[in-house]
C-alpha cells in the first residue's frame, strides 16, 4: 500500500536523509518527496512511500519520529507519485477547452493539493450554489456563504459558516477568490482528515485560481 506522510523537521543538511533511512529501515520504499514550505528553521515535506501490506502504517510514524526533532503531522493513504508539474498541464488543458475549464479545474485540484474534493461556488441574493465540482464533492443544501467575497486565499475555520457536510470526517478547508466579476466566486478545497492547509499551499491555491480565472476571463 502507498501512504503520504507530511513531516515537519529541522531545516538542516542531512535531516531528510536521516528520515529516509529510518523509513527504509521500517520497510518502506520512498516513491517521491515534495517540499511544502520552509521557514523559521523548519521544513515541511510530503513523502510518498510504499509499505508492504503486512505492516501497519503506524510503523512509518515511529520510524520518522525516531529522528530527533522530526514530527509526523499526518499519514494518509495515497495513490500515485507526487506530480509538482501538473499545474502547467492543467492550464494547458483549460486553455484548449475553456468551455469545460471550470469542470477541469474542480476535478484536478484535489490531486494537485492532495485533497479529497473541490468545487467552485457563487454567492448572490442571499444564497450560494456551486457551478463546478469534483466527483467526490459532498452534496449540500442551499445556504449563504456570507464570508464572500474573498480578497485572498484563506483556511476556513469555525468563524466561516459552511454546509455541515463540508466539515465531515474532520475535513480541513481552504478557499481562494476566483475571478473579479459579480457575483463573487470562490474555489473551495476539502482535505478530509487533514493536514491543515499551510500558508505556502494557500498562496499556491490563490495563484492557480487567479491564472485560471484570467484564462477563462471570469
Amino acid at each position: 500500500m502507498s501512504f503520504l506522510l507530511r513531516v515537519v523537521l529541522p531545516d538542516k543538511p542531512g535531516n531528510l536523509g536521516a528520515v529516509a533511512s529510518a523509513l527504509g529501515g521500517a520497510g518502506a520504499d520512498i516513491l517521491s518527496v515534495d517540499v511544502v514550505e520552509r521557514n523559521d528553521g523548519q521544513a515541511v515535506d510530503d513523502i510518498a512511500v510504499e509499505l508492504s501490506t503486512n505492516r501497519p502504517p503506524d510503523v512509518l510514524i515511529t520510524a520518522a519520529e525516531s529522528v530527533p526533532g522530526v514530527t509526523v503531522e499526518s499519514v494518509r493513504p495515497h495513490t500515485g507519485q507526487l506530480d509538482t508539474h501538473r499545474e502547467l498541464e492543467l492550464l494547458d488543458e483549460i486553455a484548449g477547452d475553456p468551455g469545460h475549464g471550470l469542470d477541469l479545474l474542480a476535478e484536478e485540484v484535489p490531486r494537485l493539493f492532495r485533497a479529497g474534493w473541490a468545487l467552485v461556488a457563487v454567492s448572490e441574493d442571499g444564497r450560494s450554489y456551486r457551478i463546478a465540482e469534483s466527483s467526490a464533492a459532498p452534496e449540500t443544501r442551499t445556504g449563504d456563504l456570507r464570508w464572500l467575497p474573498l480578497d485572498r486565499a484563506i483556511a476556513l475555520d469555525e468563524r466561516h459558516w459552511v454546509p455541515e457536510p463540508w466539515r465531515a470526517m474532520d475535513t480541513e478547508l481552504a478557499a481562494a477568490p476566483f475571478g473579479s466579476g459579480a457575483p463573487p466566486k470562490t474555489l473551495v478545497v476539502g482535505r478530509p482528515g487533514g493536514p491543515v492547509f499551510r500558508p505556502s499551499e494557500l498562496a499556491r491555491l490563490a495563484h492557480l485560481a487567479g491564472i485560471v480565472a484570467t484564462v477563462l476571463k471570469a
Side-chain angles (χ1 to χ4, degrees), residues 5-129:
L5 286 78
R6 175 159 293 185
V7 298
V8 182
L9 64 161
D11 192 9
K12 296 179 180 179
N15 274 345
L16 182 57
V19 172
S21 296
L23 291 172
D29 291 327
I30 295 180
L31 303 176
S32 52
V33 178
D34 183 31
V35 178
V36 177
E37 67 180 26
R38 281 192 163 97
N39 57 44
D40 297 328
Q42 285 191 320
V44 181
D45 295 335
D46 280 347
I47 306 176
V49 304
E50 190 171 72
L51 189 66
S52 60
T53 55
N54 62 349
R55 308 214 69 189
D58 289 354
V59 302
L60 300 172
I61 300 175
T62 301
E65 293 188 344
S66 69
V67 179
V70 173
T71 301
V72 175
E73 197 169 88
S74 67
V75 177
R76 294 178 289 153
H78 176 66
T79 302
Q81 297 186 9
L82 304 179
D83 185 356
T84 57
H85 303 291
R86 178 56 185 157
E87 283 98 330
L88 297 178
E89 296 177 11
L90 174 59
L91 291 172
D92 187 53
E93 288 181 23
I94 290 174
D97 188 9
H100 295 95
L102 286 180
D103 295 323
L104 289 168
L105 176 68
E107 197 62 48
E108 288 298 323
V109 158
R111 185 155 73 96
L112 292 175
F113 288 85
R114 275 84 76 185
W117 54 266
L119 57 84
V120 179
V122 170
S123 184
E124 63 178 336
D125 300 327
R127 62 185 291 267
S128 299
Y129 55 93

Side-chain angles (χ1 to χ4, degrees), residues 129-166:
Y129 55 93
R130 64 190 70 189
I131 56 176
E133 62 185 342
S134 66
S135 55
E139 294 295 330
T140 56
R141 296 180 179 179
T142 299
D144 185 18
L145 304 178
R146 296 186 179 183
W147 36 269
L148 285 179
L150 293 174
D151 59 4
R152 59 186 175 86
I154 61 173
L156 300 175
D157 56 29
E158 64 278 357
R159 296 170 297 176
H160 306 95
W161 180 88
V162 298
E164 189 60 33
W166 289 16

